[in-house]
Amino acid sequence: MEVRAKKALGQHFLIDQKIAQDIVEALQVEGQVLEIGPGMGVLTQYLLQRDSLDLKLIEIDSESVSYLLKHYDTLKNRLIQGDFLKLKLEDIFHSNFSVIGNFPYNISSQIFFKILEHKDAVGQVVCMLQKEVAERIAEPAGTKAYGILSVLLQAWYDIEYLFTVSPNSFSPPPKVQSAVIRLKRNARKDLGVDEKLFKQIVKQAFNQRRKTLRNSLKSMINDYAIRSSWPLDRAEGSMLSEFCAKEIFSLRPEKLSVEDFIYLTDLFSLTNEK
Ligand code: SAH
């Protein structure tokens, strides 16, 4: 008996074995790995072949869990039945781990926000998701797809778009194209500015992405802050260093790199100190 695909759980089972192998091969790690949403185990079978991996799995669907336990008896103490978004990762992993999965597309952004909360433990992520979301995450500044998740993830991860997967590689086929991406934790230890303020600025700027920063960040800026001239030496490494600090506010958020958002956060902290 196969698992009956449930739409509400984002179940589209990958049926192309070559693609499954390529996804597992894209994971360049040893040690602890968490697979999110194994379904019927199309990736799991190849992950289990790698002796250097210490695999754990989380699957929300009881029918998939029964199927997996029946077909792979080595999964008994590794497979958790539950919701990844509610999983207490610190109870399961006491040191660094990596993440792999063909993510349920309806919650892929939430999965990434959770990974960001554990960015110092998660060394690498290889995942399949909806192509648009994959592009959004992987694209550099200046492109249309660039957004909140791109900035927040690119601050901490080097991100590669690996390949596109067409709907007919799945059963049932999804309505959208899919893509596989890889995220590798970069060397950044901290931002050098207040991280909460950084996130707040990024979110507020992109929530009104058609507006210039002067307008989207209005509630955070006072007139004094806009008029006063800020020290440009803070802009080192920023593509805006050639601009007057004031000009940053005439831009739209998609023009700003991670470094620019850090610079912007620094400007805000300075004026808050005054
Ligand atoms: N890896 C399988 C299945 C992908 S479909 C394959 O490639 O064929 C997405 C899987 O994620 C489904 O098995 C679904 O039941 C599971 N899932 C959905 N929401 C989940 C959640 N919140 N936590 C854990 N697993 C979830």
Side-chain angles (χ1 to χ4, degrees), residues 3 6 8-15 20 23 35-44 57-62 64 68 80-86 100-107 111 128 169-171:
V3 174
K6 298 159 205 77
L9 296 178
Q11 288 182 338
H12 295 278
F13 298 110
L14 181 66
I15 49 175
I23 294 171
E35 184 184 354
I36 301 175
M40 285 190 278
V42 68
L43 300 179
T44 317
L57 312 93
I58 175 131
E59 170 58 64
I60 201 169
D61 174 34
S62 57
S64 296
L68 288 165
I80 303 158
Q81 183 176 340
D83 181 348
F84 170 74
L85 298 177
K86 295 190 184 138
I100 191 165
N102 294 340
F103 288 175
Y105 295 175
N106 48 342
I107 58 163
I111 292 174
M128 176 138 64
S169 301
F170 299 86
S171 169

mmCIF file of all heavy atoms in Angstrom, residues 3 6 8-15 20 23 35-44 57-62 64 68 80-86 100-107 111 128 169-171, ligand 1:
data_model
loop_
_atom_site.group_PDB
_atom_site.id
_atom_site.type_symbol
_atom_site.label_atom_id
_atom_site.label_comp_id
_atom_site.label_asym_id
_atom_site.label_seq_id
_atom_site.Cartn_x
_atom_site.Cartn_y
_atom_site.Cartn_z
ATOM 1 N N VAL A 3 1.173 5.566 0.230
ATOM 2 C CA VAL A 3 0.533 6.639 0.994
ATOM 3 C C VAL A 3 -0.357 7.459 0.056
ATOM 4 O O VAL A 3 0.055 7.835 -1.031
ATOM 5 C CB VAL A 3 1.603 7.542 1.646
ATOM 6 C CG1 VAL A 3 0.948 8.740 2.311
ATOM 7 C CG2 VAL A 3 2.438 6.748 2.636
ATOM 8 N N LYS A 6 -2.011 13.752 0.460
ATOM 9 C CA LYS A 6 -2.913 14.711 1.099
ATOM 10 C C LYS A 6 -2.478 16.129 0.761
ATOM 11 O O LYS A 6 -1.378 16.538 1.101
ATOM 12 C CB LYS A 6 -2.921 14.501 2.609
ATOM 13 C CG LYS A 6 -3.424 13.126 2.994
ATOM 14 C CD LYS A 6 -2.948 12.737 4.389
ATOM 15 C CE LYS A 6 -2.895 11.238 4.536
ATOM 16 N NZ LYS A 6 -1.697 10.650 3.864
ATOM 17 N N ALA A 8 -3.468 19.041 1.888
ATOM 18 C CA ALA A 8 -3.285 19.958 3.018
ATOM 19 C C ALA A 8 -1.888 19.835 3.628
ATOM 20 O O ALA A 8 -1.404 20.770 4.272
ATOM 21 C CB ALA A 8 -4.342 19.704 4.075
ATOM 22 N N LEU A 9 -1.249 18.693 3.426
ATOM 23 C CA LEU A 9 0.100 18.487 3.979
ATOM 24 C C LEU A 9 1.178 18.754 2.929
ATOM 25 O O LEU A 9 2.349 18.474 3.143
ATOM 26 C CB LEU A 9 0.240 17.064 4.528
ATOM 27 C CG LEU A 9 -0.655 16.707 5.719
ATOM 28 C CD1 LEU A 9 -0.463 15.262 6.133
ATOM 29 C CD2 LEU A 9 -0.374 17.634 6.897
ATOM 30 N N GLY A 10 0.766 19.281 1.788
ATOM 31 C CA GLY A 10 1.726 19.595 0.728
ATOM 32 C C GLY A 10 2.396 18.354 0.167
ATOM 33 O O GLY A 10 3.557 18.383 -0.218
ATOM 34 N N GLN A 11 1.658 17.260 0.130
ATOM 35 C CA GLN A 11 2.284 16.012 -0.308
ATOM 36 C C GLN A 11 2.305 15.859 -1.830
ATOM 37 O O GLN A 11 1.272 15.641 -2.469
ATOM 38 C CB GLN A 11 1.569 14.819 0.334
ATOM 39 C CG GLN A 11 1.877 14.700 1.824
ATOM 40 C CD GLN A 11 1.217 13.503 2.472
ATOM 41 O OE1 GLN A 11 0.228 12.974 1.969
ATOM 42 N NE2 GLN A 11 1.750 13.077 3.602
ATOM 43 N N HIS A 12 3.485 16.018 -2.378
ATOM 44 C CA HIS A 12 3.747 15.681 -3.784
ATOM 45 C C HIS A 12 4.979 14.796 -3.725
ATOM 46 O O HIS A 12 6.056 15.256 -3.363
ATOM 47 C CB HIS A 12 4.003 16.932 -4.614
ATOM 48 C CG HIS A 12 2.811 17.831 -4.700
ATOM 49 N ND1 HIS A 12 1.781 17.612 -5.592
ATOM 50 C CD2 HIS A 12 2.458 18.910 -3.971
ATOM 51 C CE1 HIS A 12 0.852 18.533 -5.417
ATOM 52 N NE2 HIS A 12 1.232 19.338 -4.443
ATOM 53 N N PHE A 13 4.803 13.519 -4.040
ATOM 54 C CA PHE A 13 5.911 12.586 -3.861
ATOM 55 C C PHE A 13 6.801 12.570 -5.092
ATOM 56 O O PHE A 13 6.328 12.430 -6.225
ATOM 57 C CB PHE A 13 5.368 11.189 -3.555
ATOM 58 C CG PHE A 13 4.571 11.157 -2.274
ATOM 59 C CD1 PHE A 13 3.194 10.973 -2.290
ATOM 60 C CD2 PHE A 13 5.204 11.333 -1.047
ATOM 61 C CE1 PHE A 13 2.456 10.967 -1.112
ATOM 62 C CE2 PHE A 13 4.479 11.329 0.138
ATOM 63 C CZ PHE A 13 3.095 11.140 0.105
ATOM 64 N N LEU A 14 8.093 12.715 -4.869
ATOM 65 C CA LEU A 14 9.066 12.680 -5.952
ATOM 66 C C LEU A 14 9.155 11.246 -6.467
ATOM 67 O O LEU A 14 9.322 10.314 -5.685
ATOM 68 C CB LEU A 14 10.428 13.152 -5.427
ATOM 69 C CG LEU A 14 11.577 13.201 -6.436
ATOM 70 C CD1 LEU A 14 11.309 14.257 -7.510
ATOM 71 C CD2 LEU A 14 12.896 13.507 -5.715
ATOM 72 N N ILE A 15 9.034 11.068 -7.794
ATOM 73 C CA ILE A 15 9.082 9.709 -8.324
ATOM 74 C C ILE A 15 10.313 9.480 -9.211
ATOM 75 O O ILE A 15 10.560 8.373 -9.660
ATOM 76 C CB ILE A 15 7.785 9.365 -9.120
ATOM 77 C CG1 ILE A 15 7.456 10.469 -10.127
ATOM 78 C CG2 ILE A 15 6.610 9.164 -8.159
ATOM 79 C CD1 ILE A 15 6.274 10.152 -11.034
ATOM 80 N N ALA A 20 16.254 12.245 -7.007
ATOM 81 C CA ALA A 20 16.396 11.953 -5.573
ATOM 82 C C ALA A 20 17.871 11.750 -5.221
ATOM 83 O O ALA A 20 18.379 12.289 -4.236
ATOM 84 C CB ALA A 20 15.578 10.718 -5.199
ATOM 85 N N ILE A 23 19.770 15.065 -5.264
ATOM 86 C CA ILE A 23 19.489 15.901 -4.085
ATOM 87 C C ILE A 23 20.324 15.419 -2.895
ATOM 88 O O ILE A 23 20.962 16.212 -2.204
ATOM 89 C CB ILE A 23 17.981 15.880 -3.746
ATOM 90 C CG1 ILE A 23 17.180 16.557 -4.863
ATOM 91 C CG2 ILE A 23 17.702 16.568 -2.401
ATOM 92 C CD1 ILE A 23 15.668 16.419 -4.743
ATOM 93 N N GLU A 35 16.062 15.049 8.221
ATOM 94 C CA GLU A 35 15.227 15.122 7.025
ATOM 95 C C GLU A 35 13.825 15.564 7.432
ATOM 96 O O GLU A 35 13.187 14.943 8.290
ATOM 97 C CB GLU A 35 15.151 13.781 6.277
ATOM 98 C CG GLU A 35 14.343 13.977 4.984
ATOM 99 C CD GLU A 35 14.076 12.718 4.155
ATOM 100 O OE1 GLU A 35 14.593 11.634 4.468
ATOM 101 O OE2 GLU A 35 13.302 12.867 3.179
ATOM 102 N N ILE A 36 13.361 16.624 6.780
ATOM 103 C CA ILE A 36 12.009 17.127 7.050
ATOM 104 C C ILE A 36 11.051 16.548 6.011
ATOM 105 O O ILE A 36 11.280 16.676 4.814
ATOM 106 C CB ILE A 36 11.968 18.673 6.988
ATOM 107 C CG1 ILE A 36 12.933 19.282 8.011
ATOM 108 C CG2 ILE A 36 10.541 19.186 7.216
ATOM 109 C CD1 ILE A 36 13.043 20.807 7.927
ATOM 110 N N GLY A 37 9.990 15.901 6.457
ATOM 111 C CA GLY A 37 8.944 15.402 5.565
ATOM 112 C C GLY A 37 9.400 14.300 4.629
ATOM 113 O O GLY A 37 9.339 14.457 3.408
ATOM 114 N N PRO A 38 9.848 13.159 5.154
ATOM 115 C CA PRO A 38 10.347 12.088 4.278
ATOM 116 C C PRO A 38 9.281 11.433 3.398
ATOM 117 O O PRO A 38 9.629 10.831 2.385
ATOM 118 C CB PRO A 38 10.933 11.065 5.266
ATOM 119 C CG PRO A 38 10.291 11.361 6.583
ATOM 120 C CD PRO A 38 10.036 12.840 6.593
ATOM 121 N N GLY A 39 8.009 11.546 3.776
ATOM 122 C CA GLY A 39 6.948 10.951 2.944
ATOM 123 C C GLY A 39 7.117 9.454 2.846
ATOM 124 O O GLY A 39 7.118 8.743 3.851
ATOM 125 N N MET A 40 7.327 8.954 1.620
ATOM 126 C CA MET A 40 7.531 7.510 1.450
ATOM 127 C C MET A 40 9.009 7.145 1.381
ATOM 128 O O MET A 40 9.368 6.017 1.048
ATOM 129 C CB MET A 40 6.794 7.016 0.213
ATOM 130 C CG MET A 40 5.284 6.933 0.451
ATOM 131 S SD MET A 40 4.418 6.090 -0.877
ATOM 132 C CE MET A 40 4.249 7.404 -2.054
ATOM 133 N N GLY A 41 9.871 8.113 1.640
ATOM 134 C CA GLY A 41 11.287 7.794 1.810
ATOM 135 C C GLY A 41 12.138 7.839 0.553
ATOM 136 O O GLY A 41 13.208 7.236 0.512
ATOM 137 N N VAL A 42 11.701 8.577 -0.454
ATOM 138 C CA VAL A 42 12.459 8.595 -1.710
ATOM 139 C C VAL A 42 13.881 9.143 -1.504
ATOM 140 O O VAL A 42 14.836 8.646 -2.124
ATOM 141 C CB VAL A 42 11.681 9.373 -2.817
ATOM 142 C CG1 VAL A 42 11.607 10.866 -2.502
ATOM 143 C CG2 VAL A 42 12.296 9.130 -4.191
ATOM 144 N N LEU A 43 14.030 10.142 -0.616
ATOM 145 C CA LEU A 43 15.382 10.629 -0.294
ATOM 146 C C LEU A 43 16.022 9.757 0.785
ATOM 147 O O LEU A 43 17.229 9.479 0.753
ATOM 148 C CB LEU A 43 15.335 12.082 0.208
ATOM 149 C CG LEU A 43 14.768 13.144 -0.727
ATOM 150 C CD1 LEU A 43 14.789 14.515 -0.033
ATOM 151 C CD2 LEU A 43 15.572 13.209 -2.028
ATOM 152 N N THR A 44 15.183 9.333 1.735
ATOM 153 C CA THR A 44 15.669 8.571 2.897
ATOM 154 C C THR A 44 16.483 7.347 2.483
ATOM 155 O O THR A 44 17.535 7.061 3.064
ATOM 156 C CB THR A 44 14.459 8.107 3.744
ATOM 157 O OG1 THR A 44 13.521 9.182 3.851
ATOM 158 C CG2 THR A 44 14.900 7.663 5.125
ATOM 159 N N LEU A 57 14.634 11.960 11.389
ATOM 160 C CA LEU A 57 13.589 12.394 10.460
ATOM 161 C C LEU A 57 12.373 12.885 11.221
ATOM 162 O O LEU A 57 12.055 12.352 12.290
ATOM 163 C CB LEU A 57 13.154 11.231 9.547
ATOM 164 C CG LEU A 57 14.251 10.419 8.875
ATOM 165 C CD1 LEU A 57 14.614 9.207 9.706
ATOM 166 C CD2 LEU A 57 13.835 9.991 7.485
ATOM 167 N N ILE A 58 11.704 13.880 10.652
ATOM 168 C CA ILE A 58 10.424 14.310 11.226
ATOM 169 C C ILE A 58 9.350 14.346 10.149
ATOM 170 O O ILE A 58 9.548 14.927 9.075
ATOM 171 C CB ILE A 58 10.529 15.674 11.954
ATOM 172 C CG1 ILE A 58 9.137 16.111 12.428
ATOM 173 C CG2 ILE A 58 11.143 16.766 11.078
ATOM 174 C CD1 ILE A 58 9.067 16.536 13.846
ATOM 175 N N GLU A 59 8.256 13.660 10.427
ATOM 176 C CA GLU A 59 7.163 13.557 9.453
ATOM 177 C C GLU A 59 5.842 13.723 10.215
ATOM 178 O O GLU A 59 5.618 13.085 11.239
ATOM 179 C CB GLU A 59 7.242 12.186 8.752
ATOM 180 C CG GLU A 59 6.047 11.823 7.890
ATOM 181 C CD GLU A 59 5.754 12.818 6.763
ATOM 182 O OE1 GLU A 59 6.594 12.978 5.861
ATOM 183 O OE2 GLU A 59 4.679 13.454 6.812
ATOM 184 N N ILE A 60 4.986 14.580 9.706
ATOM 185 C CA ILE A 60 3.739 14.909 10.408
ATOM 186 C C ILE A 60 2.634 13.897 10.125
ATOM 187 O O ILE A 60 1.727 13.696 10.937
ATOM 188 C CB ILE A 60 3.280 16.345 10.005
ATOM 189 C CG1 ILE A 60 2.338 16.931 11.054
ATOM 190 C CG2 ILE A 60 2.627 16.348 8.632
ATOM 191 C CD1 ILE A 60 2.055 18.421 10.860
ATOM 192 N N ASP A 61 2.712 13.220 8.987
ATOM 193 C CA ASP A 61 1.613 12.382 8.512
ATOM 194 C C ASP A 61 1.734 10.949 9.052
ATOM 195 O O ASP A 61 2.694 10.241 8.743
ATOM 196 C CB ASP A 61 1.642 12.398 6.973
ATOM 197 C CG ASP A 61 0.639 11.451 6.361
ATOM 198 O OD1 ASP A 61 -0.452 11.282 6.950
ATOM 199 O OD2 ASP A 61 0.951 10.876 5.296
ATOM 200 N N SER A 62 0.737 10.526 9.829
ATOM 201 C CA SER A 62 0.822 9.203 10.466
ATOM 202 C C SER A 62 0.843 8.070 9.430
ATOM 203 O O SER A 62 1.496 7.049 9.631
ATOM 204 C CB SER A 62 -0.345 9.005 11.434
ATOM 205 O OG SER A 62 -1.560 9.159 10.753
ATOM 206 N N SER A 64 2.267 8.200 6.470
ATOM 207 C CA SER A 64 3.643 8.122 5.968
ATOM 208 C C SER A 64 4.559 7.476 7.006
ATOM 209 O O SER A 64 5.431 6.667 6.668
ATOM 210 C CB SER A 64 4.184 9.523 5.631
ATOM 211 O OG SER A 64 3.452 10.095 4.577
ATOM 212 N N LEU A 68 6.835 4.217 6.382
ATOM 213 C CA LEU A 68 8.296 4.236 6.539
ATOM 214 C C LEU A 68 8.761 3.156 7.514
ATOM 215 O O LEU A 68 9.736 2.454 7.256
ATOM 216 C CB LEU A 68 8.754 5.616 7.032
ATOM 217 C CG LEU A 68 8.688 6.754 6.015
ATOM 218 C CD1 LEU A 68 8.803 8.105 6.709
ATOM 219 C CD2 LEU A 68 9.799 6.606 4.964
ATOM 220 N N ILE A 80 10.687 10.769 14.004
ATOM 221 C CA ILE A 80 9.796 11.440 14.947
ATOM 222 C C ILE A 80 8.500 11.753 14.204
ATOM 223 O O ILE A 80 8.537 12.299 13.098
ATOM 224 C CB ILE A 80 10.423 12.769 15.427
ATOM 225 C CG1 ILE A 80 11.796 12.505 16.053
ATOM 226 C CG2 ILE A 80 9.503 13.510 16.380
ATOM 227 C CD1 ILE A 80 12.697 13.725 16.055
ATOM 228 N N GLN A 81 7.382 11.394 14.800
ATOM 229 C CA GLN A 81 6.123 11.805 14.197
ATOM 230 C C GLN A 81 5.714 13.132 14.813
ATOM 231 O O GLN A 81 5.522 13.231 16.028
ATOM 232 C CB GLN A 81 5.025 10.766 14.438
ATOM 233 C CG GLN A 81 3.732 11.198 13.731
ATOM 234 C CD GLN A 81 2.624 10.169 13.851
ATOM 235 O OE1 GLN A 81 2.865 8.995 14.123
ATOM 236 N NE2 GLN A 81 1.395 10.615 13.629
ATOM 237 N N GLY A 82 5.619 14.173 13.983
ATOM 238 C CA GLY A 82 5.259 15.476 14.527
ATOM 239 C C GLY A 82 5.452 16.591 13.511
ATOM 240 O O GLY A 82 5.798 16.348 12.361
ATOM 241 N N ASP A 83 5.233 17.804 13.992
ATOM 242 C CA ASP A 83 5.282 19.001 13.164
ATOM 243 C C ASP A 83 6.658 19.656 13.333
ATOM 244 O O ASP A 83 7.021 20.046 14.437
ATOM 245 C CB ASP A 83 4.171 19.957 13.648
ATOM 246 C CG ASP A 83 4.104 21.240 12.842
ATOM 247 O OD1 ASP A 83 5.039 21.517 12.062
ATOM 248 O OD2 ASP A 83 3.101 21.965 13.007
ATOM 249 N N PHE A 84 7.394 19.775 12.241
ATOM 250 C CA PHE A 84 8.728 20.386 12.328
ATOM 251 C C PHE A 84 8.664 21.775 12.961
ATOM 252 O O PHE A 84 9.540 22.164 13.726
ATOM 253 C CB PHE A 84 9.379 20.491 10.941
ATOM 254 C CG PHE A 84 10.634 21.334 10.957
ATOM 255 C CD1 PHE A 84 11.812 20.846 11.509
ATOM 256 C CD2 PHE A 84 10.627 22.638 10.467
ATOM 257 C CE1 PHE A 84 12.962 21.636 11.558
ATOM 258 C CE2 PHE A 84 11.775 23.430 10.512
ATOM 259 C CZ PHE A 84 12.939 22.921 11.051
ATOM 260 N N LEU A 85 7.604 22.516 12.655
ATOM 261 C CA LEU A 85 7.522 23.894 13.149
ATOM 262 C C LEU A 85 7.392 23.944 14.669
ATOM 263 O O LEU A 85 7.667 24.958 15.278
ATOM 264 C CB LEU A 85 6.351 24.635 12.482
ATOM 265 C CG LEU A 85 6.452 24.780 10.963
ATOM 266 C CD1 LEU A 85 5.212 25.461 10.406
ATOM 267 C CD2 LEU A 85 7.706 25.545 10.559
ATOM 268 N N LYS A 86 6.949 22.834 15.256
ATOM 269 C CA LYS A 86 6.803 22.799 16.718
ATOM 270 C C LYS A 86 7.913 22.003 17.398
ATOM 271 O O LYS A 86 7.966 21.918 18.624
ATOM 272 C CB LYS A 86 5.452 22.178 17.084
ATOM 273 C CG LYS A 86 4.283 23.027 16.624
ATOM 274 C CD LYS A 86 2.977 22.512 17.209
ATOM 275 C CE LYS A 86 1.805 23.309 16.668
ATOM 276 N NZ LYS A 86 0.672 22.440 16.326
ATOM 277 N N ILE A 100 17.876 18.438 5.366
ATOM 278 C CA ILE A 100 17.572 18.081 3.981
ATOM 279 C C ILE A 100 16.082 17.800 3.873
ATOM 280 O O ILE A 100 15.445 17.420 4.857
ATOM 281 C CB ILE A 100 18.413 16.860 3.514
ATOM 282 C CG1 ILE A 100 18.289 16.659 1.984
ATOM 283 C CG2 ILE A 100 18.024 15.576 4.266
ATOM 284 C CD1 ILE A 100 19.332 15.731 1.381
ATOM 285 N N GLY A 101 15.520 17.998 2.686
ATOM 286 C CA GLY A 101 14.112 17.650 2.522
ATOM 287 C C GLY A 101 13.517 18.212 1.251
ATOM 288 O O GLY A 101 14.000 19.206 0.709
ATOM 289 N N ASN A 102 12.499 17.504 0.793
ATOM 290 C CA ASN A 102 11.618 18.090 -0.204
ATOM 291 C C ASN A 102 10.504 18.730 0.605
ATOM 292 O O ASN A 102 9.592 18.065 1.061
ATOM 293 C CB ASN A 102 11.083 17.026 -1.156
ATOM 294 C CG ASN A 102 12.198 16.431 -2.004
ATOM 295 O OD1 ASN A 102 13.260 17.035 -2.144
ATOM 296 N ND2 ASN A 102 11.959 15.249 -2.551
ATOM 297 N N PHE A 103 10.644 20.011 0.831
ATOM 298 C CA PHE A 103 9.795 20.695 1.805
ATOM 299 C C PHE A 103 8.339 20.736 1.370
ATOM 300 O O PHE A 103 8.050 20.850 0.168
ATOM 301 C CB PHE A 103 10.276 22.142 2.011
ATOM 302 C CG PHE A 103 11.571 22.273 2.777
ATOM 303 C CD1 PHE A 103 12.168 23.519 2.932
ATOM 304 C CD2 PHE A 103 12.188 21.172 3.366
ATOM 305 C CE1 PHE A 103 13.348 23.665 3.645
ATOM 306 C CE2 PHE A 103 13.369 21.305 4.083
ATOM 307 C CZ PHE A 103 13.953 22.563 4.210
ATOM 308 N N PRO A 104 7.421 20.663 2.352
ATOM 309 C CA PRO A 104 6.018 20.980 2.036
ATOM 310 C C PRO A 104 5.953 22.458 1.644
ATOM 311 O O PRO A 104 6.312 23.317 2.436
ATOM 312 C CB PRO A 104 5.276 20.707 3.352
ATOM 313 C CG PRO A 104 6.313 20.589 4.414
ATOM 314 C CD PRO A 104 7.628 20.299 3.764
ATOM 315 N N TYR A 105 5.554 22.738 0.388
ATOM 316 C CA TYR A 105 5.702 24.092 -0.163
ATOM 317 C C TYR A 105 4.904 25.132 0.604
ATOM 318 O O TYR A 105 5.304 26.288 0.678
ATOM 319 C CB TYR A 105 5.300 24.114 -1.647
ATOM 320 C CG TYR A 105 6.209 23.286 -2.532
ATOM 321 C CD1 TYR A 105 5.929 23.110 -3.880
ATOM 322 C CD2 TYR A 105 7.358 22.693 -2.016
ATOM 323 C CE1 TYR A 105 6.757 22.347 -4.688
ATOM 324 C CE2 TYR A 105 8.199 21.935 -2.813
ATOM 325 C CZ TYR A 105 7.888 21.764 -4.163
ATOM 326 O OH TYR A 105 8.707 21.019 -4.959
ATOM 327 N N ASN A 106 3.778 24.682 1.182
ATOM 328 C CA ASN A 106 2.921 25.662 1.874
ATOM 329 C C ASN A 106 3.568 26.237 3.139
ATOM 330 O O ASN A 106 3.165 27.278 3.623
ATOM 331 C CB ASN A 106 1.545 25.054 2.185
ATOM 332 C CG ASN A 106 1.648 23.675 2.826
ATOM 333 O OD1 ASN A 106 2.693 23.021 2.752
ATOM 334 N ND2 ASN A 106 0.596 23.233 3.471
ATOM 335 N N ILE A 107 4.584 25.573 3.686
ATOM 336 C CA ILE A 107 5.210 26.106 4.904
ATOM 337 C C ILE A 107 6.710 26.326 4.743
ATOM 338 O O ILE A 107 7.435 26.455 5.731
ATOM 339 C CB ILE A 107 4.947 25.202 6.137
ATOM 340 C CG1 ILE A 107 5.464 23.760 5.906
ATOM 341 C CG2 ILE A 107 3.469 25.183 6.502
ATOM 342 C CD1 ILE A 107 5.612 22.973 7.210
ATOM 343 N N ILE A 111 9.560 27.272 7.581
ATOM 344 C CA ILE A 111 10.688 26.376 7.869
ATOM 345 C C ILE A 111 11.983 27.195 7.911
ATOM 346 O O ILE A 111 12.807 27.040 8.805
ATOM 347 C CB ILE A 111 10.775 25.239 6.827
ATOM 348 C CG1 ILE A 111 9.580 24.286 6.987
ATOM 349 C CG2 ILE A 111 12.097 24.467 6.969
ATOM 350 C CD1 ILE A 111 9.486 23.198 5.930
ATOM 351 N N MET A 128 14.287 21.034 -1.644
ATOM 352 C CA MET A 128 13.497 21.345 -2.832
ATOM 353 C C MET A 128 12.314 22.169 -2.392
ATOM 354 O O MET A 128 11.694 21.892 -1.362
ATOM 355 C CB MET A 128 13.014 20.060 -3.504
ATOM 356 C CG MET A 128 12.108 20.342 -4.701
ATOM 357 S SD MET A 128 12.468 19.282 -6.091
ATOM 358 C CE MET A 128 12.064 17.701 -5.438
ATOM 359 N N SER A 169 7.890 15.154 -12.465
ATOM 360 C CA SER A 169 8.760 14.295 -11.662
ATOM 361 C C SER A 169 8.104 13.898 -10.350
ATOM 362 O O SER A 169 8.719 13.231 -9.515
ATOM 363 C CB SER A 169 10.075 15.019 -11.349
ATOM 364 O OG SER A 169 10.739 15.365 -12.541
ATOM 365 N N PHE A 170 6.846 14.351 -10.159
ATOM 366 C CA PHE A 170 6.141 14.094 -8.901
ATOM 367 C C PHE A 170 4.817 13.382 -9.144
ATOM 368 O O PHE A 170 4.241 13.465 -10.220
ATOM 369 C CB PHE A 170 5.802 15.421 -8.209
ATOM 370 C CG PHE A 170 6.968 16.282 -7.842
ATOM 371 C CD1 PHE A 170 7.519 17.166 -8.766
ATOM 372 C CD2 PHE A 170 7.516 16.224 -6.572
ATOM 373 C CE1 PHE A 170 8.592 17.981 -8.433
ATOM 374 C CE2 PHE A 170 8.584 17.030 -6.232
ATOM 375 C CZ PHE A 170 9.125 17.907 -7.160
ATOM 376 N N SER A 171 4.341 12.729 -8.080
ATOM 377 C CA SER A 171 2.992 12.199 -8.093
ATOM 378 C C SER A 171 2.294 12.566 -6.781
ATOM 379 O O SER A 171 2.796 12.199 -5.721
ATOM 380 C CB SER A 171 3.040 10.678 -8.239
ATOM 381 O OG SER A 171 1.760 10.139 -8.006
HETATM 382 N N1 SAH B 1 10.150 13.694 0.804
HETATM 383 C C1 SAH B 1 8.990 13.142 0.148
HETATM 384 C C2 SAH B 1 7.690 13.909 0.465
HETATM 385 C C3 SAH B 1 7.672 15.352 0.070
HETATM 386 S S1 SAH B 1 6.073 16.064 0.275
HETATM 387 C C4 SAH B 1 9.222 13.092 -1.338
HETATM 388 O O1 SAH B 1 10.104 13.767 -1.834
HETATM 389 O O2 SAH B 1 8.526 12.366 -2.031
HETATM 390 C C5 SAH B 1 6.250 16.919 1.830
HETATM 391 C C6 SAH B 1 6.260 16.002 3.039
HETATM 392 O O3 SAH B 1 6.296 16.811 4.224
HETATM 393 C C7 SAH B 1 5.020 15.128 3.191
HETATM 394 O O4 SAH B 1 5.407 13.815 3.480
HETATM 395 C C8 SAH B 1 4.238 15.754 4.345
HETATM 396 O O5 SAH B 1 3.458 14.829 5.073
HETATM 397 C C9 SAH B 1 5.364 16.323 5.180
HETATM 398 N N2 SAH B 1 4.975 17.455 6.045
HETATM 399 C C10 SAH B 1 4.055 18.413 5.793
HETATM 400 N N3 SAH B 1 3.991 19.300 6.786
HETATM 401 C C11 SAH B 1 4.917 18.916 7.710
HETATM 402 C C12 SAH B 1 5.339 19.445 8.982
HETATM 403 N N4 SAH B 1 4.809 20.556 9.475
HETATM 404 N N5 SAH B 1 6.303 18.781 9.664
HETATM 405 C C13 SAH B 1 6.857 17.649 9.164
HETATM 406 N N6 SAH B 1 6.505 17.112 7.967
HETATM 407 C C14 SAH B 1 5.548 17.729 7.248
#
